[in-house]
Amino acid sequence: MTTGTRSGGQWIRPGADGVPVVTFDPKPSERDREAAAREAARPARAGEPRPPRARLRQDWLPLLGVLLVQGVLSYRLVGTNTAFVDEGTYIYSGYQELAHILHGRPVAPYESFFSGAPVIYPVVVALADMAGGLTGTRLLSLFFMLSATLAVHLATRRLRGSTAAFFAAALFAGLGPTQFLGIYSTYDAMALACLAWAGYFAVRLATGGTYLCVLPAALAMALADATKYASLLWTPAVLGVAVFAGRTGSPWAWARWRRGLVLFAVWAVALVVPAVAAGGVYWHGFDSTTLQRKIGTDAPGYVARAAASWVGALLVLTLIALVVSWFASRRRGGVRAEFWLVLVLLGAGAAAPVNQIRIHTWLSLQKHVDFGAWFACIAVGVLLARVFVVLARRVHASLAVATSAALVGVLGCVGASQANDMFSAWPNSSPLIGTLKPYIQKGTDQYLVEDYDVVAYYFKDDSNWQQWSDLVGKTYQDPVTHQVLTGADAIKAAVAAHQYQVVVLDFAQTAAIDAAVQPALKKAGYRVLTTVVSTEGRTSAKYTIYLAPGFAE
């Protein structure tokens, strides 16, 4: 019996290579007629039919190779440096949030100044830390980034087939920011993975999927935005993919825009309802960390050069893909949806550099560019697949394979070097942790440490969070005059009253405050325990440790 779809006496069945084959069957069986009736009764789909599936060997084995290489390139960094301040902050806050959820213990108001909901990623990463320590948290990030690579492969495969999907996945896996986020314990990897799957389900919605795809797309998009508020920058890109993905039909057809409007409505409900239930303190945190982010001091040229070093080549290739799609559309009689889709992908890729040039800051740029790179890799994957086919048909298949291998190999090597530089950008804190260990214990002692989150994370079992203080945003009320002091004056008054048993200065982010506090420490009788120098990594650090009079003598 012939299987497939019947059309005017002709039967379309999948051939051995996955390509549809047309045969003639004048007398279909009763079972075939029943199958055709069921197919005719099936509800209309939201978009065009997807391309035929490739064979497992042609499709999944190259993807597994990409994932394996990506995993190795990221995993090699897992133990090469201690926790960064952001890693320590999120893991340590997650323990507090868990204690608050399970036991009602007091917790710092992280929702007022975190740029993501503290009850999402910090809780997840704290559970990973319980299971596997810092290595476990970094492997969690690797899982998220591998899933993002899988998502870009599946999305591109539905759009333009297996060859384009391989190139998109290989490009994304080879980027330095991708390898870095794959071993970096912050909310970026989780947010990017959620955004990637939202993008995949948006593609699925537009290429033959039913409207049931709206729910996972909207929920994944809302989870990404709640995990990291800055993910909202790429929400329009996901909506644009839902509208313009699919190569048939006018780009202005109502069916396309209806998909985008439905996805937008469900996403808005999924995001706004929890936000309203959470209360105004979350809105304050979102407003202060995202909407009202302070303008930095970095020159636009400096920010642009940094972005170009990581994703500049990718954006240039995306621009070329846009030009190619324009001419391809013109040859077919008008600007088609494919052109607008590539334009959306290019805009997503350039969103982070443009935004951070606007606010004059390089901070976190190496992470943010990877969000847009996920979208740009789809367009470039399709472009490289076209080049591959041209080389294979007009020259020789071996040249196409060699060119592709050289391109992917060079990209991976450059990305590995960049990831290594990113992961060694902060000093190793092991010498400081070892020196402080005899002086840290649970109780009422107070510790004043610049960027204390890393130290507090490593001493999470030996101290309470209320014992740690930073040098930023301090206030102190004089017990006699009841005058409230702020900033350096507050710290100097607290030092004079011997409020802190241990003080650590490193003259880094708060150098001016450190310089103002140092004479007060000497005047109040604090003694220098030692000076710890860390020279591991690309940057060095020098920590001066002070002990209060009579402490630990």
Side-chain angles (χ1 to χ4, degrees), residues 240 244 251-252 322 325 335-345:
F244 294 116
W252 314 117
L322 182 68
S325 66
V335 178
R336 301 168 67 88
E338 180 184 1
F339 169 81
W340 295 105
L341 175 62
V342 179
L343 184 61
V344 168
L345 299 176

Side-chain angles (χ1 to χ4, degrees), residues 376-402:
C377 283
I378 296 176
V380 179
V382 174
L383 174 67
L384 294 182
R386 283 173 167 166
V387 175
F388 180 89
V389 170
V390 169
L391 289 176
R393 288 179 177 176
R394 298 188 179 182
V395 184
H396 198 275
S398 60
L399 177 61
V401 173

Side-chain angles (χ1 to χ4, degrees), residues 172-440:
F172 184 71
L175 291 174
T178 297
Q179 297 174 32
F180 171 63
L181 290 182
I183 211 68
Y184 187 59
S185 302
T186 63
Y187 53 15
D188 298 275
M190 179 176 175
L192 200 160
C194 292
L195 188 71
W197 285 104
Y200 162 70
F201 281 108
V203 169
R204 189 179 182 91
L205 171 66
T207 55
T210 67
Y211 271 93
L212 291 177
C213 295
V214 168
L215 187 60
L219 292 179
M221 190 161 53
L223 182 58
D225 297 337
T227 301
K228 179 182 175 71
Y229 301 149
S231 302
L232 284 162
L233 190 62
W234 292 276
T235 294
V238 177
L239 297 173
V241 168
V243 172
F244 294 116
R247 289 183 290 170
T248 60
S250 167
W252 314 117
W254 167 241
R256 291 182 175 273
W257 291 90
R258 181 177 58 196
R259 293 194 301 256
L261 290 173
V262 171
L263 178 57
F264 174 79
V266 178
W267 162 79
V269 172
L271 188 64
V272 171
V273 171
V276 172
V281 66
Y282 273 86
W283 171 255
H284 172 74
F286 169 67
D287 183 58
S288 61
T289 62
T290 306
L291 296 183
Q292 304 296 331
R293 187 168 180 172
K294 293 181 179 179
I295 303 297
T297 59
D298 296 324
Y302 175 77
V303 178
R305 287 192 297 271
S309 67
W310 298 316
V311 295
L314 183 69
L315 294 181
V316 169
L317 290 173
T318 310
L319 183 60
I320 295 174
L322 182 68
V323 174
V324 170
S325 66
W326 167 265
F327 283 106
S329 295
R330 300 300 295 178
R331 285 199 303 269
R332 296 169 187 156
V335 178
R336 301 168 67 88
E338 180 184 1
F339 169 81
W340 295 105
L341 175 62
V342 179
L343 184 61
V344 168
L345 299 176
L346 176 61
V354 170
N355 181 58
Q356 298 206 207
I357 289 173
R358 178 185 65 86
I359 59 177
H360 296 272
T361 182
W362 173 91
L363 187 65
S364 297
L365 180 61
Q366 77 275 30
K367 300 181 296 180
H368 292 167
V369 293
D370 212 37
F371 285 72
W374 188 89
F375 293 92
C377 283
I378 296 176
V380 179
V382 174
L383 174 67
L384 294 182
R386 283 173 167 166
V387 175
F388 180 89
V389 170
V390 169
L391 289 176
R393 288 179 177 176
R394 298 188 179 182
V395 184
H396 198 275
S398 60
L399 177 61
V401 173
T403 303
S404 303
L407 176 64
V408 173
V410 169
L411 176 67
C413 291
V414 173
S417 177
Q418 291 178 343
N420 186 69
D421 289 341
M422 293 176 190
F423 208 70
S424 60
W426 62 89
N428 190 297
S429 59
S430 295
L432 176 63
I433 302 301
T435 304
L436 288 177
K437 188 172 181 60
Y439 306 97
I440 306 299

